[in-house]
């Protein structure tokens, strides 16, 4: 099992122990272990008990529990707790703002043990009458329930991509050609159907083959002789496998990978894209666009007519690619809540062929993430200077910080400290329940701060988990243009924030965007692939991508900003 899976089981055990009011000392032991092990780079599944107890926060009892998980994939203590806990009570932990104590109160005092019962209690006003809740909490619970309901049966881009590739690998031994299509190929950030095309001249035999694969769970009512529909074991999202003859694969790959509104677009030839796809012998995607009299559009942008409007000013070859990236600027290390040292993160960045690494650990207000005190900032800068002394002219570590935007829009270091950084990523992490007026005003003040270089994850959203706070995107982008502030495309598949629909407006206003991984581990650096996907979807060109600047230009840019501040 992976470290993340083990930590998740420890966290759930601790949460349920607290819910059922088990021994407080043992509960804290699980909480402490989960908190500390979330940062470890050791392979927990491979360590014996006598090595596990040497890790921070791990006592002998918890070490034995970790060993049990590693050996069996389960934890008997957790199984016993789960048996006592209604499934609906577990679901309540997904509600934003509901901690263990509130869940226990709702369960014990109101007898609520399903999300439906929770919604009914909220709609009847019963939650507001409970001590410690009130009308405001009740309203937030109802809003969170609505959000969760809208997200059911969806996967984030990364998990959908993982499932699609897993399906393709399992199908390829049985079929000559299998293509990932639909929303996954279009790089939709929240996927509600994972679709693949399967080449076959015998759909009946193909269907029998799929029925023989135990992890494929067919939905008999939704399937047909030419389309298998169902689910893959362990995933809640619908799966669709479409059978096509060899001479139809290219044609259908195009059709199935474009949104309906995109296919309806008429071209100068007087026919819509869909009609052009079904006519002519050449079924290649470029030929289809040519027959319609329309410019070629990359799969990521095949949503609606935006791509054609974009094409009046740009060419698809101008879109940013992974190869255009020259560095990475929003990353965390063990100085705050990351899992690797600055040296390790920088070394891996070099292995990826990039020429600069920007560290942006959390600032002092972010105590939950071990934010850096002023003294720690000074110590980290000394370490970076020492590391930079060992590099040649082809690589550099930049000194950054992810400074918390406080409630009034100020940053959480004074100007003397902010001036010591090469750049500052300004982000909101706390007090996220804001009106659009409050959130916009808060961000505007941060943007006006002369030390803000990059505005981090502008809406604070977590895809499929937390709706972002509302902001006036135009006002924010216009302010970034006025104050020469870069906007982040947070490449973490959990965020993908700023939303791709605002990228083109930012470019029109002359605002550069930075594809930042927000990496907390070596693997996290690779999340920039998702950032590139979503950037291309929004039409971002390499020219307007901040971290596509080569090292010498990035150095000159940051030095010029600092010089201007001194003046």
């Amino acid at each position: 099992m992976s470290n993340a899976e083990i930590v998740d089981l420890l966290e759930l055990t601790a949460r349920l122990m607290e819910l059922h009011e088990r021994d407080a000392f043992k509960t804290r032991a699980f909480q402490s272990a989960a908190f500390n092990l979330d940062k470890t780079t050791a392979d927990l599944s491979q360590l014996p008990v006598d090595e596990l107890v040497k890790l921070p926060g791990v006592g002998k009892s918890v070490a034995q529990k970790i060993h049990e998980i590693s050996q069996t994939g389960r934890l008997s203590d957790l199984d016993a707790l789960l048996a006592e806990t209604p499934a609906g009570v577990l679901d309540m932990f997904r509600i934003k703002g509901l901690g263990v104590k509130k869940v226990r109160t709702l369960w014990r005092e109101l007898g609520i043990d399903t999300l439906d019962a929770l919604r009914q209690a909220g709609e009847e006003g019963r939650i507001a009458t409970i001590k410690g809740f009130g009308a405001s909490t009740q309203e937030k619970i109802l809003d969170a329930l609505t959000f969760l309901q809208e997200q059911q049966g969806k996967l984030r881009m990364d998990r959908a991509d993982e499932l699609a590739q897993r399906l393709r690998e399992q199908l390829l031994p049985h079929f000559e050609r299998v293509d990932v299509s639909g929303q996954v190929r279009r790089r939709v950030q929240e996927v509600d159907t994972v679709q693949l095309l399967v080449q076959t001249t015998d759909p009946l035999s193909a269907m029998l083959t799929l029925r023989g694969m135990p992890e494929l769970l067919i939905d008999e009512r939704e399937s047909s002789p030419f389309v298998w529909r169902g689910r893959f074991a362990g995933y809640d999202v619908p799966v669709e496998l479409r059978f096509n003859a060899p001479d139809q694969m290219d044609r259908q790959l195009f059709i199935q990978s474009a949104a309906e509104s995109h296919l309806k677009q008429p071209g100068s030839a007087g026919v819509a894209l869909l009609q052009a796809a079904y006519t002519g012998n050449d079924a290649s995607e470029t030929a289809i666009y040519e027959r319609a009299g329309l410019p070629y559009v990359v799969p990521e942008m095949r949503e609606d007519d935006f791509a054609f409007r974009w094409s009046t000013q740009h060419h698809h070859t101008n879109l940013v690619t992974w190869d255009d990236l020259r560095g990475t600027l929003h990353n965390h290390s063990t100085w705050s809540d990351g899992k690797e040292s600055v040296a390790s993160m920088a070394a891996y960045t070099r292995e990826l062929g990039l020429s600069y690494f920007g560290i942006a650990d959390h600032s002092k207000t972010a105590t939950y993430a071990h934010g850096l005190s002023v003294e720690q900032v000074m110590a980290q800068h000394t370490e970076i200077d020492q590391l930079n002394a060992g590099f040649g002219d082809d690589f550099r570590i930049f000194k950054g910080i992810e400074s918390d935007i406080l409630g009034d829009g100020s940053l959480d270091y004074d100007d003397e400290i902010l001036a010591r950084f090469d750049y500052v990523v300004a982000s909101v992490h706390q007090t996220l329940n804001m009106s659009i007026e409050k959130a916009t005003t808060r961000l505007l003040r941060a943007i006006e701060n002369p030390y803000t270089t990059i505005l981090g994850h502008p809406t604070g959203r977590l895809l499929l988990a937390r709706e972002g706070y509302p902001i006036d995107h135009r006002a924010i982008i216009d302010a970034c243009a006025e104050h020469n502030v870069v906007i982040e495309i947070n490449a973490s598949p959990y965020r993908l924030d700023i939303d791709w629909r605002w990228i083109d407006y930012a470019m029109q206003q002359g605002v550069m965007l930075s594809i930042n991984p927000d990496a907390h581990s070596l693997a996290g650096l690779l999340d920039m692939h998702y950032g590139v996907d979503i950037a291309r979807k929004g039409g971002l060109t390499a020219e307007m991508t901040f971290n596509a600047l080569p090292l010498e230009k990035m150095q000159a840019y940051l030095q010029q900003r600092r010089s201007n501040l001194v003046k």
Side-chain angles (χ1 to χ4, degrees), residues 168-195:
R168 186 170 184 272
E169 289 173 5
Q170 292 197 17
L171 294 171
L172 274 175
H174 306 281
F175 302 97
E176 186 174 340
R177 178 178 170 185
V178 179
D179 292 332
V180 176
S181 57
Q183 295 175 350
V184 176
R185 186 174 183 230
R186 211 161 68 239
R187 311 312 281 163
V188 173
Q189 60 200 22
E190 296 173 345
V191 173
D192 60 31
T193 302
V194 173
Q195 183 193 77

Side-chain angles (χ1 to χ4, degrees), residues 256-277:
Q256 298 300 329
S257 297
E260 183 178 354
S261 58
H262 187 77
L263 292 173
K264 289 181 178 179
Q265 294 305 307
S268 60
V271 297
L273 262 176
L274 182 59
Q275 185 179 350

Side-chain angles (χ1 to χ4, degrees), residues 272-318:
L273 262 176
L274 182 59
Q275 185 179 350
Y278 279 116
T279 59
N281 294 324
D282 190 343
S284 67
E285 295 183 325
T286 53
I288 291 170
Y289 281 101
E290 287 175 4
R291 281 200 296 276
L294 289 167
Y296 174 78
V297 174
V298 298
E300 299 95 318
M301 296 182 75
R302 296 174 189 168
E303 293 290 346
D304 47 33
D305 65 343
F306 161 67
F308 302 118
R309 289 183 276 112
W310 179 90
S311 294
T312 63
Q313 302 293 324
H314 309 282
H315 191 268
H316 68 87
T317 57
N318 301 138

Side-chain angles (χ1 to χ4, degrees), residues 340-393:
E340 300 284 345
S341 66
V342 173
S344 295
M345 294 288 279
Y348 189 58
T349 299
R350 292 190 80 182
E351 287 183 33
L352 294 176
L354 302 174
S355 56
Y356 51 90
F357 169 78
I359 188 66
D361 273 312
H362 286 286
S363 56
K364 63 179 183 179
T365 302
T367 53
Y368 56 88
H370 307 291
L372 275 61
S373 66
V374 171
E375 292 75 21
Q376 288 175 311
V377 168
M378 299 300 104
Q380 186 185 70
H381 286 187
T382 298
E383 177 186 328
I384 292 171
D385 287 337
Q386 293 170 347
L387 290 169
N388 276 333
F391 299 131
D393 295 333

